[in-house]
Structures are given as structure tokens and as C-alpha cells.
Amino acid sequence: MPVTIAAIQMCSGTDPVRNVETMRRLVREAAARGAVYVQTPEMTGALQRDRTGLRAILRQEEDDLVVAAAAQLAAELGIHVHVGSTAIALADGKVANRGLLFGPDGARICAYDKIHMFDVDLDNGESWRESAVYSPGAVARMADLPFARLGFAICYDVRFPELFKTQAQAGAQIISVPAAFTRQTGEAHWEILLRARAIENGVYIVAAAQGGVHEDGRETFGHSMIVDPWGRVLASAGGTGEAVVLAEIDIAAVKAAHDKIPNLRNGRAFTLEAPGDHPVKGGVAA
């Protein structure tokens, strides 16, 4: 049966308390409008470039304000609440960029640590070294909702199609892409990447985003959106500020897309003969 899902757009600042209050308000609005699954953006708890400032607000998962609020909201509203990600202190002193899914009873169903680190130098002079702060995950995750199998990705993961294909081949029908895309990269690639991942894998893509100019000085692209398995944008937000993006989805559309374009079944094993003395295995130079 069709269900309503939501992506929450935020413009998180540096104070987790204020960000949690914003999250509470927007998740409750989404639930009041019929959403049974609500996703928040990457770094819901705080966007903080300053490493000293970030570490001052870090908590381990059991003490984190966003985690506690999401669990409480899920139980209060009887829905699935998916914290797209928030910064979590690890026992070894490192930091995880962690997404967490909570069920209608408030229990944590699944957690996913972002695998691919955003280490880039942009044309406009921005330089990002996510790996200098965050410890990359090494395990892809999926979880079963009552109406669909959900796969997990976060932001920069969207540029690694093998992650999405692997999950789709394992039965994912929805794949989440919460993000804090920079304005420059978002303008160039955000929508086309989301639609491509949906089309390639015949899945719904749900992408809750940060949008606007943040307290720490960065500017994110926004345009949270929900894309269907045929690559059509069902709903989207503007580029700045808060929004609740809702769409009614029917998981039968996933099978319909796979029946029309059965590329996940039609793939064939092959070898690559590369010039020179640089053998390639699994897409990575040996």
C-alpha cells in the first residue's frame, strides 16, 4: 500500500540544543501531515567547522541529545525517525559521522557510519578534509521497515555507485542520502546524482539536506528531495531554510522499474585489460 515519507531540511547551527528543538518541530510537522518515515539531514546535531568547538559538544551515542530526541519522537509519534547523521564521539577518541534509525517503539534499529570521506579542494578556494576529524565506516547497512527495505548512504557516498548497486542487489527498495552538500558541488551535481542512483538501481532515493548559510560560515545547497525508481523528482525543497518535503510512495514501483529495466539481473562478470603494467582488480589499481 502507498505510504507517506518525509525528508526534513534544516540549516543547523553550532548549538545542538537549538538544532534538536528545530528537529523536534519539523519531525512533528511531518508526522502530523501523515509521514510514517521521517529523515533528517547530515549533521543534524551541529555544523561546526572549528575542531575545538566540535569536540566541545561531542557526546558518545548513549549521551547524545539528537539520539535521545529521535528515539523519544519515534515513540511519541509512532513512526520511524531516521537521523540522517550526527557527530558521535567514539571510545578511541575519534568521531563518527553516524546515521541512526529508530522504530515506533523508540528502539534503535540500525546505525550506519559514513564510509566515504569528503577530502577535496574546490575551485572557489574551499578545502575540506573530513578524514582529519572523522573515522570512516567500513560496513554498509540496510534495515527492514514495515513497508520497504532501506539502504543507507550519507552525502559524499552518493558519488560511489557501487555502494548503491550492492544494496539494491541485496533487496534495498529505498536508499537514503542525507547530506550537507556545499553550494558549489550541489549546483553542479546534486539532483543529477540522486536521479542517477535512483535510475541505475530502480529504487526510491530520499535525500534530506542542509540548506543555507550556517553559523560556522559554510553554505549548503539544500534542495532536499524524494526521487522515484524511474528517476522522477516527486517532491523537493528550495535552496535555503527549513522545509518538510513529503511524498506518497508505492513500493510496487520498485518491482515495476526492475521489470522494465532489469540491469541488476543482466550484469555480467568481466575482466579489464589495462595498458601498461597497472593491473586493475575490482575497479582499484593494484
Side-chain angles (χ1 to χ4, degrees):
M1 294 179 60
V3 297
T4 299
I5 63 175
I8 299 300
Q9 184 159 300
M10 297 174 60
C11 186
S12 294
T14 58
D15 182 357
V17 174
R18 292 202 310 268
N19 297 328
V20 164
E21 287 309 306
T22 299
M23 180 186 76
R24 288 184 186 276
R25 174 168 48 81
L26 294 174
V27 169
R28 288 191 176 113
E29 179 184 337
R33 295 170 62 184
V36 298
Y37 163 88
V38 182
Q39 179 192 123
T40 71
E42 182 183 25
M43 288 295 138
T44 293
L47 274 175
Q48 173 59 276
R49 305 180 68 158
D50 179 75
R51 296 180 191 178
T52 301
L54 175 64
R55 292 192 179 278
I57 60 175
L58 279 177
R59 299 291 183 272
Q60 293 191 350
E61 186 178 317
E62 59 269 23
D63 298 317
D64 186 77
L65 294 176
V66 175
V67 172
Q72 184 272 322
L73 282 167
E76 171 195 330
L77 301 169
I79 64 172
H80 286 82
V81 174
H82 177 185
V83 176
S85 89
T86 199
I88 296 292
L90 301 177
D92 61 3
K94 296 183 180 179
V95 185
N97 186 344
R98 179 169 295 172
L100 303 107
L101 176 68
F102 298 89
D105 60 356
R108 193 191 85 166
I109 295 174
C110 189
Y112 165 70
D113 289 353
K114 182 178 179 181
I115 292 173
H116 299 99
M117 299 287 98
F118 188 55
D119 290 356
V120 300
D121 299 304
L122 300 178
D123 292 342
N124 65 355
E126 290 183 52
S127 182
W128 299 93
R129 292 292 179 272
E130 201 169 43
S131 63
V133 177
Y134 294 95
S135 180
V139 180
R141 304 281 185 188
M142 297 195 300
D144 285 332
L145 306 176
F147 55 89
R149 177 163 288 182
L150 174 70
F152 293 80
I154 297 173
C155 200
Y156 192 48
D157 284 336
V158 77
R159 294 185 184 272
F160 298 86
E162 61 274 17
L163 174 63
F164 291 72
K165 181 179 179 180
T166 300
Q167 293 183 88
Q169 289 179 322
Q173 296 155 310
I174 303 172
I175 300 182
S176 63
V177 193
F181 249 60
T182 67
R183 182 187 58 77
Q184 185 183 23
T185 57
E187 287 176 345
H189 298 147
W190 172 246
E191 180 176 331
I192 197 168
L193 283 170
L194 295 176
R195 296 179 69 190
R197 297 297 87 85
I199 293 166
E200 291 165 348
N201 299 292
V203 297
Y204 284 97
I205 296 290
V206 186
Q210 297 280 357
V213 178
H214 300 262
E215 287 179 334
D216 72 346
R218 83 182 74 188
E219 185 176 2
T220 53
F221 184 64
H223 295 89
S224 301
M225 65 180 64
I226 299 171
V227 184
D228 81 0
W230 205 242
R232 293 171 292 217
V233 178
L234 300 180
S236 63
T240 61
E242 299 169 1
V244 176
V245 177
L246 294 110
E248 185 177 82
I249 68 168
D250 186 347
I251 295 302
V254 174
K255 183 179 184 303
H258 291 170
D259 288 344
K260 291 174 184 174
I261 309 291
N263 60 300
L264 293 176
R265 299 197 303 270
N266 290 347
R268 292 177 56 81
F270 62 90
T271 59
L272 171 65
E273 294 183 1
D277 299 323
H278 301 286
V280 175
K281 181 179 180 180
V284 178

